[in-house]
Amino acid sequence: MHRERFYTLTASCPDRVGIVAQVSGFFAQHKGWILETSLHAEPDSDSAPGRYFMRLEVKADSLPFMLAELRERFAPLAAELNMDWRITDSAVKKRVVLLVSKQEHCLYDLLARWQAKELDVEIPCIISNHDTFKGFVEWHGIPFHHIPVTADNKVAAFKEIQRIFEEVKGDTMVLARYMQILSPELCAAYPGRIINIHHSFLPSFVGAKPYHQAYTKGVKLIGATCHYVTADLDQGPIIEQDVIRVDHSDTPDDLVRYGKDIEKTVLARGLRYHLEDRVLTHGNKTIVFR
Amino acid sequence: MHRERFYTLTASCPDRVGIVAQVSGFFAQHKGWILETSLHAEPDSDSAPGRYFMRLEVKADSLPFMLAELRERFAPLAAELNMDWRITDSAVKKRVVLLVSKQEHCLYDLLARWQAKELDVEIPCIISNHDTFKGFVEWHGIPFHHIPVTADNKVAAFKEIQRIFEEVKGDTMVLARYMQILSPELCAAYPGRIINIHHSFLPSFVGAKPYHQAYTKGVKLIGATCHYVTADLDQGPIIEQDVIRVDHSDTPDDLVRYGKDIEKTVLARGLRYHLEDRVLTHGNKTIVFR
Amino acid sequence: MHRERFYTLTASCPDRVGIVAQVSGFFAQHKGWILETSLHAEPDSDSAPGRYFMRLEVKADSLPFMLAELRERFAPLAAELNMDWRITDSAVKKRVVLLVSKQEHCLYDLLARWQAKELDVEIPCIISNHDTFKGFVEWHGIPFHHIPVTADNKVAAFKEIQRIFEEVKGDTMVLARYMQILSPELCAAYPGRIINIHHSFLPSFVGAKPYHQAYTKGVKLIGATCHYVTADLDQGPIIEQDVIRVDHSDTPDDLVRYGKDIEKTVLARGLRYHLEDRVLTHGNKTIVFR
Amino acid sequence: MHRERFYTLTASCPDRVGIVAQVSGFFAQHKGWILETSLHAEPDSDSAPGRYFMRLEVKADSLPFMLAELRERFAPLAAELNMDWRITDSAVKKRVVLLVSKQEHCLYDLLARWQAKELDVEIPCIISNHDTFKGFVEWHGIPFHHIPVTADNKVAAFKEIQRIFEEVKGDTMVLARYMQILSPELCAAYPGRIINIHHSFLPSFVGAKPYHQAYTKGVKLIGATCHYVTADLDQGPIIEQDVIRVDHSDTPDDLVRYGKDIEKTVLARGLRYHLEDRVLTHGNKTIVFR
């Protein structure tokens, strides 16, 4: 089950002839062993010129130098291609901070995956506006911060959350059914780094009580959406979605219950894509190299 | 494959103790052999008192009288229970008029089912605003009416459609990707009898070019919705929905192509439920006894 | 979210005219308020005469007597109809014993549901052939029994498991990825009361390492099956199944990972149906009144 | 909707460093504009060394030479990499011969797609062991051959089918619910060129009457499998599969009816992958570059 150490390059640049040849040529000239390659050409549209997206995994010990030098040597080619790019190291675990409220399903699900090393990250702390899961989280050896959020203390509360996230050197913030709308400042501070699970198949049923909205509308499938958080409520780039069938005999409580199974699965999948550097954003959309 | 003749009772009434006992007792006292029973109690809500929905299939020749007498004998009980009710006869084929435009997928799909008697109805005629499928329809022995619809002749065109529908004694009108918005008069004339297939997972992407809307939004699943037509565009009671997975590599044309497979399947399923008297409406929602 | 106390009747009997009328008449005569009714007529086949299956929920306080008297009064009618029947009480929680091994996903999932009262049962103890989850289980306040199973002690181990199950008055035993084949004696002792989750879409890939079998075969979907345990390995009546899409890029480890999400969901759904008395068996098949 | 002319390279070779660099370098040096690239590295296993699979679409008019010269210039690199390879031209339509029997659903479905140019191929003829669809096929302007198959004439019948397939220069033979087992000679003559739709989720329910087998087993989902035909009945490489949910109330006839919707969709998807050169085989498995 253990995979060898590898580096992951994710990059996008204006489309032109020869991008793949140049990038794969760079690695080939250093005998880099490519484990996985994903490519996508987004064609010209009325609003934007064509753009090329790529993700490569290269075996770390196949290269004759370390990550720092890889980055240094790759930079000139990236500059020539006018690339947005980054290279990550599978040996450096991402640091993920969870924000939860009083619902257990996403929290249990993520901690089960973390326990089994399926979710192979550091969780430096978990933050909640309630103390419901303090004992459960601490039993797992993870620090728990109870930061109540009220109408009066919102500014201070979100500042404190940001302070903690910085202090623990968080890479990614996950709203695992956190039930609070983040401040615009917090959203703006971490674009593409805050992940939410919304309990509807967006763009249907934005906002509060989506299962009750779905019940009132009489839809025959309900869903959930994992997306990046932006200042625009429930409108950020969609990473993953799924649905489940319901019928007339299901009450709003039944929809909530079915929905929880979709929410936790969709959040786990979307988070995994993000942590494995499989998600690139393009305007308000995502390219997901599964 | 051939099923014996049966009568189908569909009914709804205010909920109270003993409805099932009284209705099933009625049939038992006449030795009626019940083939299938479906029941649903919609509980009290803020907006409406509880209501009971039922559908029964009873073997025709198990009863000691014919349909007319069955209706006559059942009427007093139905009145006592304050029921909306109807009884249909499996030996009387429904008469279904299809409205199509220039897209072939739903038309071919429905005619294949009709040929195989899977869709066991009369199709007295097919109406289109284009003559694209005239030959194909007529080859099947079905009359074809070409009624162009322009900005100028809309009123007259929809009057003519209504005239034909009346003339052929149509039971159900099916918009099999008809691509025209019916007149309010036509919608009002046949509540619960006109079925549309909309090419999105409603309530997302109402109106024109839903696949392009879906592409722009970057959703990860696209869908289709079969619903009753009301004067309120794409807002009528939903009968059936389904979705299919797409990703960033799919162009709007790909979405259109994937969508066609969902559209024809969802329309066929929804239409079948309707024709088998499995769909009861309750406000703007449906009970579907599958 | 809290539902009122109700009794659930599940029954099957030879099909004939008037069963529903008699049973619903019985409840109506006592002013019993029926919350939910599910009916199924299994038609005559070459191997067996037609049989009728039913499930009714009746509001407890709508009846003028308690459960014991309800059973006593219903018995003569049941005898007349030659019924297999039982009536359960929503106020009496079922007692569920979990058997686990070293995999965490089903255990975390079921305990999350139990914590949230979505799975509204007593868990008198959890048994494992490893001590991996001792601390986790005990943190939840649930007794944990570590009963190693080796080639040499199988008979004794399964006797001990049976002894504990009897001692805690277990209703249902759940093999939550237990990874051991139960003794024929244990299987025979609790027909329809032991539930397993098998990690394939049965009848494909019976036995060991089904995901590796699926990988070798190159199937495009993998699945999981929740079924009653019988002495015939992986052949008991199927309660619930589901699948997920995979492709050529997925390794056996990926299939294991995807599979875990299906396993826990399918087990939870199947177990819920069982605990709510929604599953009736008929030969080696199930009727599931969802 | 119209796409520009392009060439499609499909290739596989032993895995080693630099394959992508060399192949993409070849196209870049000639200013070839790559529209789509798909890559897959099959790792070393106990039974076989690692192998690399690729598919590239290159815009025809971006290259300074025609297809014949492209093949000639690419050949030395392919030889150096020890490649199995082919290059096809989007301007040359594939020639697809359909074999049908008395069931209409796959035939109507494929002809609808062909009419709409969604299935953009030549259909030089359709062959059947019954004359049921003679008129329907001929109405579409496609020659129809009625070749009855009996216990006595099998050898001659399949020889005649092969003769016609050769005469019309067929590329691909599609068994669209043909219901006859091809002769071993015919299977052997066209490896990877005969596509079948089997009406079960293989490897479950091989052989005859799979829906009845599924009914007897009591599975909760039924499916269909599109696969290449080999001499080993229902065992050839799987191209595509899908499933649909069923329950205890569905009769074998219902399963047949639900199954038809899955069959035609799975066949159409699998055939499309094949015709777009998206399917590469590796032993008894497929790589499908969707």
Side-chain angles (χ1 to χ4, degrees):
Chain A
M1 266 243 204
H2 185 68
R3 293 191 57 188
E4 288 167 296
R5 183 176 181 177
F6 58 92
Y7 304 132
T8 303
L9 166 69
T10 48
S12 72
C13 62
D15 202 357
R16 66 175 220 198
V17 167
I19 297 169
V20 177
Q22 285 185 273
V23 172
S24 59
F26 169 84
F27 286 103
Q29 113 196 38
H30 297 298
K31 310 285 177 216
W33 184 272
I34 305 292
L35 295 164
E36 200 176 309
T37 315
S38 304
L39 305 167
H40 174 63
E42 187 77 19
D44 287 339
S45 71
D46 295 346
S47 56
R51 193 161 180 87
Y52 206 79
F53 296 83
M54 68 172 62
R55 177 183 182 280
L56 268 88
E57 290 181 5
V58 57
K59 222 193 280 196
D61 69 8
S62 70
L63 290 171
F65 37 67
M66 304 297 284
L67 180 55
E69 190 174 340
L70 169 59
R71 285 180 178 136
E72 201 177 310
R73 284 171 178 263
F74 186 72
L77 175 57
E80 185 192 328
L81 293 168
N82 198 15
M83 261 184 181
D84 289 337
W85 64 287
R86 50 186 291 201
I87 302 176
T88 59
D89 181 348
S90 69
V92 178
K93 292 191 185 184
K94 299 257 175 48
R95 298 175 67 77
V96 177
V97 172
L98 307 184
L99 274 68
V100 302
S101 188
K102 291 196 289 190
Q103 291 204 34
E104 75 302 327
H105 56 294
C106 291
L107 176 64
Y108 265 75
D109 185 77
L110 292 174
L111 288 186
R113 295 173 198 269
W114 174 78
Q115 280 276 62
K117 307 240 182 285
E118 177 194 317
L119 185 66
D120 199 16
V121 299
E122 304 286 345
I123 303 182
C125 67
I126 292 178
I127 299 170
S128 180
N129 55 336
H130 294 280
D131 62 2
T132 315
F133 294 113
K134 182 173 163 56
F136 181 70
V137 166
E138 290 179 350
W139 182 88
H140 284 85
I142 299 170
F144 182 90
H145 299 284
H146 178 202
I147 304 181
V149 178
T150 64
D152 294 337
N153 81 342
K154 284 206 169 189
V155 172
F158 290 124
K159 278 206 170 143
E160 176 62 6
I161 288 171
Q162 186 167 359
R163 191 194 62 73
I164 292 172
F165 187 70
E166 290 293 333
E167 188 179 84
V168 302
K169 301 189 195 314
D171 292 302
T172 301
M173 197 183 290
V174 176
L175 311 188
R177 296 304 312 279
Y178 177 56
M179 309 297 280
Q180 296 290 325
I181 299 171
L182 297 194
S183 64
E185 293 72 28
L186 200 47
C187 297
Y190 306 110
R193 291 172 58 192
I194 309 179
I195 289 177
N196 185 43
I197 179 71
H198 182 73
H199 41 319
S200 86
F201 184 68
L202 291 172
S204 291
F205 312 133
V206 165
K209 289 198 163 275
Y211 292 125
H212 289 76
Q213 294 182 54
Y215 175 81
T216 300
K217 180 66 188 169
V219 291
K220 301 301 184 187
L221 301 163
I222 56 166
T225 304
C226 177
H227 65 95
Y228 288 120
V229 171
T230 62
D232 206 357
L233 182 65
D234 297 336
Q235 298 293 334
I238 293 170
I239 304 170
E240 174 66 339
Q241 301 185 290
D242 215 337
V243 294
I244 192 169
R245 189 163 283 274
V246 295
D247 74 16
H248 61 266
S249 68
D250 295 310
T251 64
D253 286 344
D254 291 327
L255 301 195
V256 167
R257 180 165 53 78
Y258 289 129
K260 285 162 74 172
D261 284 357
I262 298 296
E263 292 163 28
K264 68 189 182 193
T265 310
V266 166
L267 174 56
R269 283 207 298 253
L271 178 57
R272 184 180 182 92
Y273 297 148
H274 170 82
L275 294 171
E276 293 184 351
D277 299 302
R278 296 181 180 279
V279 188
L280 288 80
T281 52
H282 186 217
N284 202 43
K285 298 171 64 171
T286 60
I287 285 91
V288 181
F289 290 126
R290 299 172 71 180
Chain B
M1 263 243 207
H2 184 69
R3 293 189 59 188
E4 288 165 296
R5 184 175 181 178
F6 58 92
Y7 304 131
T8 302
L9 166 69
T10 48
S12 72
C13 61
D15 202 357
R16 67 176 218 198
V17 167
I19 297 168
V20 176
Q22 285 185 272
V23 173
S24 58
F26 168 85
F27 286 102
Q29 113 196 38
H30 298 295
K31 309 286 179 215
W33 184 272
I34 306 291
L35 295 163
E36 200 176 309
T37 316
S38 304
L39 306 166
H40 172 63
E42 187 77 19
D44 286 339
S45 71
D46 295 345
S47 56
R51 193 161 179 86
Y52 206 80
F53 297 83
M54 67 172 63
R55 177 185 183 279
L56 267 89
E57 291 180 4
V58 58
K59 223 192 280 196
D61 68 8
S62 70
L63 290 171
F65 36 66
M66 305 297 284
L67 180 55
E69 190 174 340
L70 169 59
R71 285 183 178 133
E72 200 177 309
R73 285 172 177 262
F74 187 72
L77 175 56
E80 184 194 330
L81 293 168
N82 197 15
M83 264 186 179
D84 288 337
W85 65 287
R86 51 186 293 201
I87 302 176
T88 60
D89 180 349
S90 70
V92 178
K93 291 193 186 185
K94 298 257 175 49
R95 298 175 67 78
V96 177
V97 173
L98 307 183
L99 276 67
V100 303
S101 187
K102 291 196 289 190
Q103 292 205 34
E104 77 300 330
H105 55 294
C106 290
L107 175 64
Y108 265 75
D109 186 76
L110 291 174
L111 288 186
R113 296 173 198 269
W114 174 77
Q115 280 276 62
K117 307 239 182 285
E118 177 194 318
L119 185 66
D120 199 16
V121 300
E122 304 286 345
I123 303 182
C125 67
I126 293 179
I127 299 171
S128 179
N129 55 336
H130 296 278
D131 62 3
T132 315
F133 294 114
K134 182 174 163 55
F136 180 69
V137 166
E138 289 179 349
W139 183 87
H140 283 84
I142 300 170
F144 181 90
H145 299 284
H146 177 203
I147 303 179
V149 177
T150 64
D152 292 338
N153 81 342
K154 283 207 171 190
V155 172
F158 290 124
K159 277 205 172 144
E160 175 63 5
I161 289 170
Q162 186 166 359
R163 190 194 63 72
I164 293 172
F165 187 69
E166 290 294 332
E167 187 179 85
V168 301
K169 300 190 196 313
D171 293 303
T172 301
M173 197 183 290
V174 176
L175 311 187
R177 296 304 312 279
Y178 176 56
M179 308 297 279
Q180 295 290 326
I181 299 172
L182 297 194
S183 65
E185 291 72 28
L186 201 47
C187 298
Y190 306 111
R193 291 173 58 192
I194 310 178
I195 289 178
N196 184 43
I197 179 70
H198 182 74
H199 41 319
S200 86
F201 183 69
L202 292 172
S204 292
F205 312 134
V206 165
K209 289 199 162 273
Y211 291 126
H212 289 76
Q213 294 182 53
Y215 176 81
T216 301
K217 180 65 190 172
V219 290
K220 301 300 184 188
L221 301 163
I222 57 166
T225 303
C226 176
H227 65 96
Y228 288 118
V229 172
T230 61
D232 206 357
L233 181 65
D234 298 337
Q235 299 293 333
I238 294 170
I239 303 170
E240 174 65 340
Q241 303 185 290
D242 215 339
V243 295
I244 193 169
R245 188 163 284 275
V246 295
D247 73 17
H248 60 267
S249 69
D250 295 310
T251 63
D253 286 345
D254 291 328
L255 301 195
V256 167
R257 180 167 50 80
Y258 289 130
K260 285 161 74 173
D261 284 357
I262 298 296
E263 290 162 29
K264 68 189 182 194
T265 311
V266 166
L267 174 57
R269 283 206 298 252
L271 178 57
R272 184 181 182 89
Y273 297 148
H274 171 81
L275 294 171
E276 293 184 352
D277 300 301
R278 296 182 180 279
V279 188
L280 289 80
T281 53
H282 186 217
N284 203 43
K285 300 171 63 172
T286 61
I287 286 89
V288 181
F289 290 126
R290 300 173 68 181
Chain C
M1 267 245 208
H2 184 68
R3 294 189 60 189
E4 287 166 295
R5 185 175 180 177
F6 58 92
Y7 303 132
T8 303
L9 166 70
T10 48
S12 72
C13 62
D15 202 359
R16 66 176 218 200
V17 167
I19 297 168
V20 176
Q22 285 185 271
V23 173
S24 59
F26 169 84
F27 287 102
Q29 114 198 36
H30 298 297
K31 309 286 178 215
W33 183 272
I34 307 291
L35 295 163
E36 203 177 307
T37 315
S38 303
L39 306 166
H40 173 63
E42 188 76 20
D44 285 340
S45 72
D46 295 345
S47 56
R51 194 163 178 84
Y52 206 79
F53 297 84
M54 67 171 63
R55 178 185 182 278
L56 267 88
E57 291 180 6
V58 58
K59 223 193 280 198
D61 68 7
S62 70
L63 290 170
F65 36 67
M66 305 297 285
L67 180 55
E69 189 174 339
L70 169 58
R71 284 181 178 135
E72 201 176 308
R73 285 172 177 261
F74 187 72
L77 174 57
E80 184 193 329
L81 293 168
N82 197 16
M83 263 185 180
D84 288 336
W85 65 287
R86 52 187 291 201
I87 302 176
T88 59
D89 181 349
S90 69
V92 178
K93 292 192 185 184
K94 299 257 174 50
R95 298 175 68 77
V96 177
V97 173
L98 307 184
L99 274 68
V100 302
S101 187
K102 289 196 290 190
Q103 291 204 34
E104 76 302 327
H105 55 294
C106 289
L107 176 63
Y108 265 76
D109 186 75
L110 291 174
L111 288 187
R113 295 173 200 268
W114 174 77
Q115 279 277 59
K117 307 237 182 286
E118 178 194 318
L119 185 64
D120 199 16
V121 300
E122 303 286 344
I123 302 182
C125 69
I126 293 178
I127 298 171
S128 180
N129 54 336
H130 296 279
D131 62 2
T132 315
F133 295 114
K134 183 174 162 57
F136 180 68
V137 166
E138 291 179 349
W139 182 86
H140 284 85
I142 299 170
F144 181 90
H145 299 284
H146 178 203
I147 303 181
V149 177
T150 65
D152 292 338
N153 81 341
K154 282 205 174 192
V155 172
F158 290 124
K159 278 206 171 145
E160 174 64 5
I161 288 170
Q162 185 166 0
R163 192 195 62 73
I164 293 172
F165 187 69
E166 290 295 331
E167 186 179 87
V168 302
K169 300 188 195 313
D171 292 302
T172 301
M173 197 183 291
V174 177
L175 310 188
R177 296 303 313 279
Y178 177 56
M179 309 297 279
Q180 296 289 325
I181 299 172
L182 297 194
S183 64
E185 293 72 28
L186 201 46
C187 297
Y190 306 111
R193 290 172 61 191
I194 309 179
I195 290 178
N196 184 43
I197 179 72
H198 182 73
H199 41 320
S200 87
F201 183 66
L202 291 172
S204 292
F205 312 134
V206 165
K209 289 199 164 273
Y211 292 126
H212 289 77
Q213 294 182 53
Y215 176 81
T216 301
K217 180 66 189 169
V219 291
K220 302 300 186 188
L221 301 163
I222 56 166
T225 303
C226 177
H227 64 96
Y228 287 118
V229 172
T230 62
D232 207 358
L233 182 65
D234 297 338
Q235 299 293 336
I238 293 170
I239 305 170
E240 173 67 339
Q241 302 185 290
D242 215 339
V243 295
I244 192 170
R245 189 164 282 274
V246 296
D247 73 18
H248 60 267
S249 69
D250 294 309
T251 64
D253 286 345
D254 290 328
L255 301 195
V256 168
R257 181 166 51 79
Y258 289 130
K260 286 161 75 172
D261 284 358
I262 298 295
E263 291 162 30
K264 69 189 182 193
T265 310
V266 166
L267 174 57
R269 283 206 298 252
L271 178 57
R272 184 181 183 90
Y273 297 147
H274 170 82
L275 293 171
E276 292 184 352
D277 300 301
R278 295 181 179 279
V279 188
L280 289 79
T281 53
H282 185 218
N284 203 41
K285 298 172 64 172
T286 61
I287 285 91
V288 181
F289 290 126
R290 300 171 68 181
Chain D
M1 268 246 207
H2 185 68
R3 292 190 60 188
E4 288 167 295
R5 184 177 181 177
F6 58 91
Y7 303 132
T8 302
L9 166 69
T10 48
S12 72
C13 61
D15 202 358
R16 67 177 218 197
V17 167
I19 297 168
V20 177
Q22 285 184 273
V23 173
S24 60
F26 168 85
F27 287 102
Q29 114 197 36
H30 297 297
K31 309 286 179 219
W33 183 273
I34 306 291
L35 294 163
E36 201 176 308
T37 316
S38 303
L39 306 166
H40 173 63
E42 188 75 21
D44 287 340
S45 71
D46 295 345
S47 56
R51 193 161 179 87
Y52 207 79
F53 297 83
M54 68 171 63
R55 178 185 182 278
L56 267 88
E57 291 180 4
V58 58
K59 224 193 280 197
D61 69 7
S62 70
L63 290 170
F65 36 66
M66 305 297 283
L67 180 55
E69 189 174 341
L70 169 59
R71 285 182 177 134
E72 200 176 309
R73 285 172 178 261
F74 187 72
L77 175 56
E80 184 193 329
L81 293 168
N82 197 15
M83 263 185 180
D84 288 336
W85 65 286
R86 51 186 291 201
I87 302 177
T88 59
D89 181 349
S90 70
V92 178
K93 291 192 187 185
K94 299 257 174 49
R95 298 174 69 76
V96 177
V97 172
L98 307 185
L99 275 67
V100 302
S101 188
K102 290 197 289 189
Q103 292 205 34
E104 76 301 327
H105 54 295
C106 291
L107 176 63
Y108 265 76
D109 186 76
L110 291 174
L111 288 186
R113 295 173 199 270
W114 174 77
Q115 279 278 59
K117 307 235 182 287
E118 178 195 317
L119 185 66
D120 198 16
V121 300
E122 304 286 345
I123 302 182
C125 68
I126 293 178
I127 299 170
S128 180
N129 54 337
H130 295 279
D131 63 2
T132 316
F133 294 114
K134 182 172 162 60
F136 180 69
V137 165
E138 290 179 349
W139 183 88
H140 284 86
I142 300 171
F144 181 90
H145 300 284
H146 177 201
I147 304 180
V149 178
T150 65
D152 293 337
N153 81 342
K154 282 206 172 189
V155 172
F158 290 124
K159 277 206 173 144
E160 175 63 5
I161 288 170
Q162 186 167 359
R163 192 194 62 73
I164 293 172
F165 187 68
E166 290 295 331
E167 187 179 86
V168 302
K169 299 189 195 314
D171 293 302
T172 300
M173 197 183 290
V174 177
L175 311 188
R177 296 305 311 281
Y178 177 55
M179 308 298 280
Q180 295 289 326
I181 298 172
L182 297 193
S183 64
E185 293 72 28
L186 200 48
C187 298
Y190 307 110
R193 290 171 60 191
I194 309 179
I195 289 178
N196 184 43
I197 179 72
H198 182 73
H199 42 319
S200 86
F201 183 70
L202 292 171
S204 292
F205 312 133
V206 166
K209 290 201 162 273
Y211 293 126
H212 290 77
Q213 295 182 52
Y215 176 80
T216 301
K217 181 65 189 170
V219 292
K220 301 301 184 187
L221 301 163
I222 56 166
T225 302
C226 177
H227 65 95
Y228 288 119
V229 172
T230 62
D232 206 357
L233 181 65
D234 297 337
Q235 299 293 334
I238 294 170
I239 304 171
E240 174 66 339
Q241 302 185 290
D242 215 338
V243 294
I244 192 169
R245 188 163 284 274
V246 295
D247 74 18
H248 60 266
S249 68
D250 295 310
T251 65
D253 285 345
D254 291 327
L255 301 195
V256 168
R257 180 165 51 79
Y258 289 130
K260 285 161 75 172
D261 285 357
I262 298 296
E263 291 162 29
K264 68 189 183 192
T265 310
V266 166
L267 174 57
R269 283 206 299 253
L271 178 57
R272 184 181 183 90
Y273 297 148
H274 170 81
L275 294 171
E276 292 185 351
D277 301 300
R278 295 181 180 280
V279 188
L280 290 80
T281 52
H282 186 218
N284 204 41
K285 299 171 63 171
T286 61
I287 286 89
V288 181
F289 290 127
R290 300 172 68 182

